[in-house]
Amino acid sequence: MIEGLLGLLVFILPAYVANSAPVLFGGGTPMDFGGNAWDGRRALGDGKTWRGFVSGIAFGILAGAAVAYAASEPAYMRLGVLLAFGAMVGDLAGSFAKRRIGMGRGQSAFLLDQLPFLAFALIFASPIYLPPPLDLALLALLTYVLHVCSNFAANRLGLKSVPW
Ligand code: CTP
Ligand code: MG
C-alpha cells in the first residue's frame, strides 16, 4: 500500500470515517435505552445512539472498501471492517468511562474524547496488522490534533453544539 504519513492516514481512514459519520447520521434511540448503570448514572448517555453506531460501522466499512479498491488490495477490506467496528466499540467505551467518572454527555474529556476509538480500532485490527510503535505514536498524535480541529469545524458548521 501507500508509504509514509499519507499511507498511515489511509490505513486508519475507516476508523476516522466510522467515528465521524454519527455526527451526521446519529440520533434517535440511545444504545442504553435511557438506562442507568450501577452507579445511578446513565450507562452511555444520549450521545450514543443505535443509528450513530450502525451508520458509523457502515460508512467505515464503505471507506475500507473504497481504499481496498483504490489500492487494489482486496485483503484490506477485512482490515476496514475491523477498524470500523473497533472504532465504534471504542467510542462507546470512552463514553462509558466518562459516565462512570461523572461527566455528562458532551462534556469535554481530555484524551477520553479522542483516543479510545483509535485504541480499540487498532486492537481490533491487530490480529491482521498492527503498525510499528513509532507509527502508533504518530497516529495517536495525529488523531488528537485532527479530532480537536474537526470538532471545532463541526461546531462552526452547526453540526455539533459544542466545539469538542
Ligand atoms: N453519535 C451517535 N451515536 C453514536 C456516536 C455518536 O448518535 N454511537 C452522535 C451524537 O449525536 C453525538 C455526536 O454524534 O452527540 C458526537 O459524538 P460524541 O462526541 O462521541 O458524543 P458526545 O455527545 O460528546 O457524548 P459523550 O460525552 O458520550 O462523548
Ligand atoms: Mg464528544
Coordinates of all heavy atoms in Angstrom, one line a residue, residues 35-98:
G35 N -31.2 3.8 30.0 CA -31.0 3.1 31.3 C -29.7 3.6 32.0 O -28.8 4.1 31.4
N36 N -29.7 3.4 33.3 CA -28.6 3.7 34.2 C -27.7 2.5 34.5 O -28.1 1.4 34.4 CB -29.1 4.3 35.5 CG -29.7 5.7 35.3 OD1 -29.5 6.3 34.3 ND2 -30.5 6.1 36.3
A37 N -26.5 2.8 34.8 CA -25.5 1.8 35.3 C -25.7 1.6 36.8 O -26.6 2.3 37.4 CB -24.1 2.1 34.9
W38 N -24.9 0.8 37.4 CA -25.0 0.5 38.9 C -24.8 1.8 39.7 O -25.3 1.8 40.9 CB -23.9 -0.5 39.3 CG -22.5 -0.1 39.0 CD1 -21.8 0.7 39.8 CD2 -21.8 -0.3 37.8 NE1 -20.6 0.9 39.2 CE2 -20.6 0.4 38.0 CE3 -22.0 -1.0 36.6 CZ2 -19.6 0.3 37.0 CZ3 -21.1 -1.0 35.6 CH2 -19.8 -0.3 35.8
D39 N -24.1 2.8 39.2 CA -23.8 4.0 40.0 C -25.0 5.0 39.9 O -24.8 6.1 40.4 CB -22.5 4.6 39.5 CG -22.4 4.8 38.0 OD1 -23.5 4.7 37.3 OD2 -21.3 5.2 37.5
G40 N -26.1 4.6 39.2 CA -27.2 5.6 39.1 C -27.0 6.6 38.0 O -27.9 7.4 37.7
R41 N -25.9 6.5 37.3 CA -25.7 7.5 36.2 C -26.0 6.7 34.9 O -25.9 5.5 34.8 CB -24.2 8.0 36.1 CG -23.9 8.8 37.4 CD -22.6 9.5 37.1 NE -22.3 10.4 38.2 CZ -21.4 10.1 39.2 NH1 -20.7 9.0 39.2 NH2 -21.2 11.0 40.2
R42 N -26.3 7.5 33.8 CA -26.5 6.8 32.5 C -25.4 5.9 32.1 O -24.2 6.2 32.3 CB -26.7 7.9 31.4 CG -28.0 8.6 31.5 CD -29.2 7.7 31.1 NE -29.1 7.3 29.7 CZ -29.5 8.0 28.7 NH1 -30.2 9.2 29.0 NH2 -29.4 7.6 27.4
A43 N -25.8 4.7 31.5 CA -24.8 3.8 31.1 C -23.9 4.4 30.1 O -22.6 4.3 30.2 CB -25.4 2.5 30.6
L44 N -24.5 4.9 29.0 CA -23.7 5.5 27.9 C -24.1 7.0 27.7 O -23.2 7.8 27.3 CB -23.9 4.7 26.6 CG -23.4 3.3 26.6 CD1 -23.9 2.5 25.4 CD2 -21.9 3.2 26.7
G45 N -25.4 7.3 27.8 CA -25.9 8.7 27.6 C -26.5 8.8 26.2 O -26.4 8.0 25.3
D46 N -27.2 10.0 26.0 CA -28.0 10.2 24.8 C -27.1 10.4 23.6 O -27.6 10.5 22.5 CB -28.9 11.4 25.0 CG -30.1 11.1 25.9 OD1 -30.5 9.9 26.0 OD2 -30.6 12.0 26.6
G47 N -25.8 10.6 23.8 CA -24.9 10.9 22.7 C -24.5 9.6 21.9 O -23.9 9.7 20.9
K48 N -24.9 8.5 22.4 CA -24.6 7.2 21.8 C -25.9 6.5 21.4 O -26.6 5.9 22.2 CB -23.8 6.2 22.7 CG -22.5 6.8 23.3 CD -21.5 7.1 22.2 CE -21.1 8.6 22.1 NZ -19.7 8.9 21.9
T49 N -26.2 6.6 20.1 CA -27.4 6.1 19.6 C -27.2 4.9 18.6 O -26.1 4.8 18.1 CB -28.2 7.2 18.8 OG1 -27.5 7.5 17.6 CG2 -28.4 8.4 19.6
W50 N -28.2 4.1 18.4 CA -28.1 2.9 17.5 C -27.9 3.4 16.1 O -27.1 2.8 15.4 CB -29.4 2.1 17.6 CG -29.5 1.3 18.9 CD1 -30.3 1.6 20.0 CD2 -28.8 0.1 19.2 NE1 -30.0 0.7 21.0 CE2 -29.1 -0.2 20.5 CE3 -27.8 -0.6 18.5 CZ2 -28.6 -1.3 21.2 CZ3 -27.2 -1.7 19.1 CH2 -27.6 -2.1 20.5
R51 N -28.6 4.5 15.7 CA -28.4 4.9 14.3 C -26.9 5.4 14.1 O -26.3 5.1 13.1 CB -29.3 6.1 14.1 CG -30.1 5.9 12.8 CD -31.3 6.8 12.7 NE -30.9 8.2 12.8 CZ -31.8 9.2 13.2 NH1 -33.0 8.9 13.5 NH2 -31.4 10.4 13.2
G52 N -26.4 6.1 15.2 CA -25.0 6.5 15.1 C -24.0 5.3 15.0 O -23.1 5.3 14.2
F53 N -24.3 4.3 15.8 CA -23.4 3.2 15.9 C -23.4 2.4 14.5 O -22.4 2.1 14.0 CB -23.9 2.3 17.0 CG -23.1 1.1 17.3 CD1 -21.9 1.2 18.0 CD2 -23.5 -0.2 16.9 CE1 -21.1 0.1 18.2 CE2 -22.7 -1.3 17.2 CZ -21.5 -1.2 17.8
V54 N -24.6 2.2 14.0 CA -24.8 1.4 12.8 C -24.2 2.2 11.6 O -23.5 1.6 10.8 CB -26.2 1.0 12.6 CG1 -26.4 0.4 11.2 CG2 -26.7 0.0 13.6
S55 N -24.5 3.5 11.6 CA -24.1 4.3 10.4 C -22.5 4.4 10.5 O -21.9 4.4 9.4 CB -24.7 5.7 10.4 OG -24.3 6.5 11.5
G56 N -22.0 4.5 11.7 CA -20.5 4.6 11.8 C -19.9 3.3 11.2 O -18.9 3.4 10.5
I57 N -20.4 2.2 11.6 CA -19.8 0.9 11.1 C -20.0 0.8 9.6 O -19.1 0.5 8.9 CB -20.4 -0.3 11.9 CG1 -20.0 -0.3 13.3 CG2 -20.0 -1.6 11.2 CD1 -20.7 -1.3 14.2
A58 N -21.2 1.2 9.1 CA -21.5 1.0 7.7 C -20.6 1.9 6.9 O -20.0 1.5 5.9 CB -23.0 1.4 7.4
F59 N -20.5 3.2 7.3 CA -19.7 4.1 6.5 C -18.2 3.8 6.6 O -17.4 4.0 5.7 CB -20.0 5.6 6.8 CG -21.2 6.1 6.2 CD1 -22.4 6.0 6.8 CD2 -21.2 6.6 4.9 CE1 -23.6 6.4 6.2 CE2 -22.3 7.0 4.2 CZ -23.5 6.9 4.9
G60 N -17.8 3.3 7.8 CA -16.4 2.9 8.0 C -16.0 1.8 7.0 O -15.0 1.7 6.4
I61 N -16.9 0.8 6.9 CA -16.7 -0.4 6.0 C -16.7 0.1 4.6 O -15.8 -0.3 3.8 CB -17.8 -1.4 6.3 CG1 -17.6 -2.1 7.6 CG2 -17.7 -2.5 5.1 CD1 -18.7 -3.1 8.0
L62 N -17.6 1.1 4.2 CA -17.6 1.6 2.9 C -16.2 2.3 2.6 O -15.7 2.1 1.5 CB -18.7 2.6 2.7 CG -20.0 2.1 2.3 CD1 -21.0 3.3 2.2 CD2 -19.9 1.5 0.9
A63 N -15.7 3.0 3.6 CA -14.4 3.7 3.4 C -13.3 2.7 3.2 O -12.5 2.8 2.3 CB -14.1 4.6 4.6
G64 N -13.4 1.6 3.9 CA -12.4 0.5 3.8 C -12.5 -0.2 2.4 O -11.5 -0.5 1.8
A65 N -13.7 -0.3 1.9 CA -13.9 -0.9 0.6 C -13.4 0.0 -0.5 O -12.7 -0.4 -1.5 CB -15.4 -1.1 0.3
A66 N -13.5 1.3 -0.3 CA -13.0 2.3 -1.3 C -11.5 2.3 -1.3 O -10.9 2.3 -2.3 CB -13.5 3.7 -0.9
V67 N -10.9 2.2 -0.1 CA -9.4 2.1 0.0 C -8.9 0.8 -0.7 O -8.0 0.8 -1.5 CB -8.9 2.1 1.5 CG1 -7.4 1.8 1.5 CG2 -9.2 3.5 2.0
A68 N -9.6 -0.3 -0.3 CA -9.2 -1.6 -0.9 C -9.3 -1.6 -2.4 O -8.4 -2.1 -3.1 CB -10.2 -2.7 -0.4
Y69 N -10.3 -1.0 -2.9 CA -10.5 -0.9 -4.4 C -9.4 0.0 -5.0 O -8.7 -0.3 -6.0 CB -11.9 -0.3 -4.7 CG -12.1 -0.2 -6.2 CD1 -12.4 -1.3 -7.0 CD2 -12.1 1.1 -6.8 CE1 -12.6 -1.2 -8.3 CE2 -12.3 1.2 -8.1 CZ -12.6 0.1 -8.9 OH -12.8 0.2 -10.2
A70 N -9.3 1.2 -4.4 CA -8.3 2.2 -5.0 C -6.9 1.7 -4.9 O -6.1 2.0 -5.8 CB -8.4 3.5 -4.2
A71 N -6.5 0.9 -3.9 CA -5.2 0.5 -3.7 C -5.0 -0.9 -4.3 O -3.9 -1.5 -4.3 CB -4.8 0.4 -2.2
S72 N -6.1 -1.5 -4.9 CA -6.0 -2.8 -5.5 C -5.5 -3.8 -4.4 O -4.7 -4.6 -4.7 CB -5.2 -2.9 -6.7 OG -5.6 -2.0 -7.7
E73 N -6.0 -3.7 -3.2 CA -5.7 -4.6 -2.1 C -6.9 -5.1 -1.5 O -7.4 -4.7 -0.4 CB -4.9 -3.8 -1.0 CG -3.6 -3.2 -1.4 CD -2.4 -4.0 -0.9 OE1 -2.7 -5.2 -0.4 OE2 -1.3 -3.5 -0.9
P74 N -7.5 -6.1 -2.1 CA -8.8 -6.7 -1.6 C -8.7 -7.1 -0.2 O -9.7 -7.1 0.6 CB -9.1 -7.9 -2.6 CG -8.0 -8.0 -3.5 CD -7.1 -6.8 -3.4
A75 N -7.5 -7.6 0.2 CA -7.3 -8.1 1.6 C -7.6 -6.9 2.6 O -7.9 -7.2 3.8 CB -5.9 -8.6 1.8
Y76 N -7.4 -5.7 2.2 CA -7.6 -4.6 3.1 C -9.0 -4.4 3.6 O -9.3 -3.9 4.7 CB -7.2 -3.2 2.5 CG -7.4 -2.1 3.4 CD1 -6.4 -1.8 4.4 CD2 -8.5 -1.3 3.3 CE1 -6.6 -0.8 5.3 CE2 -8.7 -0.2 4.2 CZ -7.8 0.0 5.2 OH -8.0 1.0 6.0
M77 N -10.0 -5.0 2.8 CA -11.4 -5.0 3.1 C -11.6 -5.5 4.5 O -12.4 -4.9 5.3 CB -12.1 -5.9 2.1 CG -13.6 -5.8 2.0 SD -14.3 -4.3 1.6 CE -15.7 -4.3 2.7
R78 N -11.0 -6.6 4.9 CA -11.2 -7.2 6.3 C -10.7 -6.2 7.3 O -11.3 -6.1 8.4 CB -10.5 -8.5 6.3 CG -11.2 -9.7 5.7 CD -10.3 -10.9 5.6 NE -9.9 -11.4 6.9 CZ -8.7 -12.0 7.1 NH1 -7.8 -12.1 6.1 NH2 -8.4 -12.5 8.3
L79 N -9.5 -5.6 7.0 CA -9.0 -4.6 8.0 C -9.9 -3.5 8.2 O -10.1 -3.0 9.3 CB -7.6 -4.1 7.4 CG -6.5 -3.8 8.3 CD1 -6.2 -4.9 9.3 CD2 -5.2 -3.6 7.5
G80 N -10.6 -3.0 7.1 CA -11.5 -1.9 7.2 C -12.7 -2.3 8.1 O -13.1 -1.5 8.9
V81 N -13.2 -3.5 8.0 CA -14.3 -3.9 8.8 C -13.9 -3.9 10.3 O -14.6 -3.4 11.1 CB -14.7 -5.4 8.4 CG1 -15.8 -5.9 9.4 CG2 -15.3 -5.4 7.0
L82 N -12.7 -4.4 10.6 CA -12.3 -4.5 12.0 C -12.0 -3.1 12.5 O -12.4 -2.7 13.7 CB -11.0 -5.3 12.1 CG -11.1 -6.8 11.8 CD1 -9.8 -7.5 11.8 CD2 -12.0 -7.4 12.9
L83 N -11.4 -2.2 11.7 CA -11.2 -0.8 12.1 C -12.5 -0.1 12.4 O -12.6 0.7 13.4 CB -10.3 -0.1 11.1 CG -8.9 -0.5 10.9 CD1 -8.2 0.1 9.7 CD2 -8.1 0.0 12.2
A84 N -13.4 -0.2 11.5 CA -14.7 0.5 11.7 C -15.4 0.0 12.9 O -15.9 0.8 13.8 CB -15.6 0.2 10.5
F85 N -15.5 -1.3 13.1 CA -16.2 -1.9 14.2 C -15.5 -1.5 15.5 O -16.1 -1.1 16.5 CB -16.3 -3.4 14.1 CG -17.3 -4.1 14.9 CD1 -18.6 -4.0 14.7 CD2 -16.9 -4.9 16.1 CE1 -19.6 -4.5 15.5 CE2 -17.8 -5.4 16.9 CZ -19.2 -5.3 16.6
G86 N -14.2 -1.7 15.5 CA -13.4 -1.3 16.7 C -13.5 0.1 17.1 O -13.7 0.5 18.3
A87 N -13.6 1.0 16.1 CA -13.7 2.4 16.4 C -15.0 2.7 17.1 O -15.1 3.5 18.1 CB -13.7 3.2 15.1
M88 N -16.1 2.1 16.6 CA -17.4 2.4 17.3 C -17.5 1.8 18.7 O -18.2 2.3 19.5 CB -18.6 1.9 16.4 CG -18.7 2.7 15.1 SD -18.3 4.5 15.3 CE -19.7 5.0 16.2
V89 N -16.9 0.6 18.8 CA -16.9 0.0 20.2 C -16.1 0.8 21.1 O -16.4 1.1 22.3 CB -16.4 -1.5 20.1 CG1 -16.2 -2.0 21.5 CG2 -17.3 -2.4 19.3
G90 N -14.9 1.3 20.6 CA -14.0 2.2 21.4 C -14.7 3.5 21.8 O -14.5 4.0 22.9
D91 N -15.5 4.0 20.9 CA -16.2 5.3 21.1 C -17.2 5.1 22.3 O -17.4 5.9 23.2 CB -17.0 5.7 19.8 CG -17.7 7.0 20.0 OD1 -17.2 8.0 20.5 OD2 -19.0 7.0 19.7
L92 N -17.9 3.9 22.3 CA -18.8 3.5 23.4 C -18.0 3.4 24.7 O -18.5 3.9 25.7 CB -19.5 2.2 23.1 CG -20.5 2.2 21.9 CD1 -21.1 0.8 21.9 CD2 -21.5 3.3 22.1
A93 N -16.9 2.8 24.6 CA -16.1 2.6 25.8 C -15.7 3.9 26.4 O -15.7 4.1 27.7 CB -14.8 1.7 25.5
G94 N -15.3 4.9 25.6 CA -14.9 6.2 26.0 C -16.1 6.9 26.8 O -15.9 7.5 27.8
S95 N -17.3 6.8 26.2 CA -18.5 7.4 26.8 C -18.8 6.7 28.1 O -19.2 7.3 29.1 CB -19.7 7.3 25.9 OG -19.5 8.2 24.8
F96 N -18.7 5.3 28.1 CA -19.0 4.6 29.3 C -18.0 5.0 30.4 O -18.5 5.3 31.6 CB -18.7 3.1 29.0 CG -19.0 2.2 30.2 CD1 -20.4 1.8 30.4 CD2 -18.0 1.7 31.0 CE1 -20.7 1.0 31.5 CE2 -18.3 0.9 32.1 CZ -19.6 0.5 32.3
A97 N -16.8 5.2 30.1 CA -15.8 5.7 31.1 C -16.1 7.1 31.6 O -16.1 7.4 32.8 CB -14.4 5.6 30.5
K98 N -16.5 8.0 30.6 CA -16.9 9.3 31.0 C -18.1 9.3 32.0 O -18.0 10.1 33.0 CB -17.2 10.2 29.8 CG -16.0 10.7 29.0 CD -16.4 11.4 27.7 CE -17.0 12.7 27.9 NZ -17.3 13.4 26.5

